[in-house]
């Protein structure tokens, strides 16, 4: 096997590997790399139909990548929908993603009505959606001293390269209207991203101080 043939196999392998990705941004990026490798390989061999095919696929990948990166922090693309803590769709979403949730939030447990003792602090539930697709879930409850303790900040696998939870924290009124002055990250969360959202590190947690009177 000469170097050119190896180059072609590498391009094909990257292309196949890209299709195995569950994260949409990573899928597009790897697919683009595979297409670029195969453009070079087929151009060297003068296989022009395959060059044309991969050029078209590369352009499509670039278009989608630009669109995703341009809208990743766009509040018109990702919207926050508050739902009831006993909402059936919320319960369904938590059940469907239970195994994945446990990987990143191993201590998470959302109590049912039967588990909930009298006097339990208020709870809030938010779904982050992109069009009609749920891309994230943020659940919180009230603690003493006007603290909103986040119980779950989960992103679905397709959008794991994004931070849709940021849209909940950007809208400080979601918390200040409830009398909160501080938001604390979930305990034991794997790979937290809060340092990118203006939270400060305090021990094992991240804390966001909310603006007074916002």
């Amino acid at each position: 096997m000469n170097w050119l043939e190896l180059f072609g196999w590498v391009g094909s392998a990257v292309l196949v590997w890209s299709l195995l990705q569950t994260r949409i941004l990573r899928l597009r990026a790897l697919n683009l790399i595979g297409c670029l490798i195969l453009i070079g390989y087929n151009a060297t061999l003068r296989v022009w139909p395959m060059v044309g095919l991969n050029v078209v696929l590369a352009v499509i990948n670039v278009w989608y990548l630009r669109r995703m990166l341009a809208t990743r922090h766009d509040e018109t693309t990702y919207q926050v929908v508050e739902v009831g803590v006993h909402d059936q769709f919320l319960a369904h979403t938590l059940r469907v993603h239970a195994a994945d949730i446990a990987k990143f939030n191993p201590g998470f447990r959302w109590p049912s009505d039967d588990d909930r003792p009298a006097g339990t602090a208020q709870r809030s539930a938010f779904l982050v959606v992109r069009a009609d697709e749920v891309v994230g879930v943020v659940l919180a409850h009230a603690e003493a001293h006007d603290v909103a303790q986040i119980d779950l900040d989960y992103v679905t696998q397709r959008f794991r390269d994004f931070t849709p939870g940021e849209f909940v924290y950007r809208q400080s009124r979601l918390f200040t209207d409830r009398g909160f002055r501080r938001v604390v990250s979930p305990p034991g969360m794997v790979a937290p991203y809060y340092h990118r959202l203006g939270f400060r590190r305090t021990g094992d947690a991240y804390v966001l101080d909310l603006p007074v009177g916002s």
Side-chain angles (χ1 to χ4, degrees):
M1 180 183 297
N2 59 36
W3 69 268
L4 183 59
E5 188 175 352
L6 178 62
F7 191 63
W9 278 113
V10 168
S12 297
V14 172
L15 207 61
V16 171
W17 187 32
S18 73
L19 298 176
L20 299 176
Q21 304 303 309
T22 56
R23 302 186 183 189
I24 188 169
L25 184 64
R26 188 171 299 180
L27 183 156
R28 289 292 179 186
L30 288 172
N31 200 274
L32 175 61
I33 292 171
C35 288
L36 294 175
I37 293 173
L38 290 175
I39 288 170
Y41 172 72
N42 286 293
T44 302
L45 296 178
R46 299 178 182 274
V47 185
W48 303 119
M50 294 305 296
V51 170
L53 172 63
N54 283 283
V55 166
V56 171
L57 293 176
V59 170
I60 291 172
N61 281 314
V62 168
W63 187 85
Y64 274 106
L65 282 168
R66 287 189 62 186
R67 184 180 178 188
M68 285 187 286
L69 292 173
T71 60
R72 66 188 305 173
H73 303 296
D74 184 6
E75 291 183 357
T76 62
T77 302
Y78 298 92
Q79 298 178 322
V80 178
V81 178
E82 184 174 6
V83 297
V85 295
H86 307 302
D87 184 87
Q88 291 302 306
F89 185 71
L90 170 63
H92 170 75
T93 302
L94 295 178
R95 283 195 302 270
V96 168
H97 298 283
D100 195 43
I101 287 173
K103 292 178 184 177
F104 295 92
N105 297 266
F108 170 72
R109 183 170 177 272
W110 191 238
S112 65
D113 286 341
D114 295 336
D115 303 327
R116 216 178 151 199
T120 299
Q122 72 181 70
R123 296 184 291 165
S124 303
F126 306 97
L127 298 178
V128 184
V129 298
R130 184 176 185 270
D132 60 352
E133 180 180 6
V134 175
V135 302
V137 181
V138 175
L139 305 175
H141 73 270
E143 290 280 358
H145 309 297
D146 301 330
V147 170
Q149 172 63 60
I150 303 300
D151 298 297
L152 177 67
D153 185 342
Y154 172 71
V155 181
T156 59
Q157 288 184 333
R158 272 169 42 84
F159 293 86
R160 192 66 44 78
D161 293 318
F162 301 87
T163 57
E166 70 177 277
F167 297 102
V168 176
Y169 309 121
R170 271 193 200 175
Q171 301 182 39
S172 59
R173 295 194 69 89
L174 293 173
F175 297 102
T176 56
D177 284 353
R178 292 169 169 78
F180 295 118
R181 290 293 173 262
R182 183 171 295 173
V183 180
V184 179
S185 65
M189 181 179 177
V190 176
Y193 64 98
Y194 298 101
H195 59 284
R196 289 185 274 168
L197 302 182
F199 283 66
R200 56 183 170 82
R201 185 72 180 264
T202 303
D204 295 331
Y206 290 84
V207 176
L208 176 66
D209 294 310
L210 300 172
V212 177
S214 63

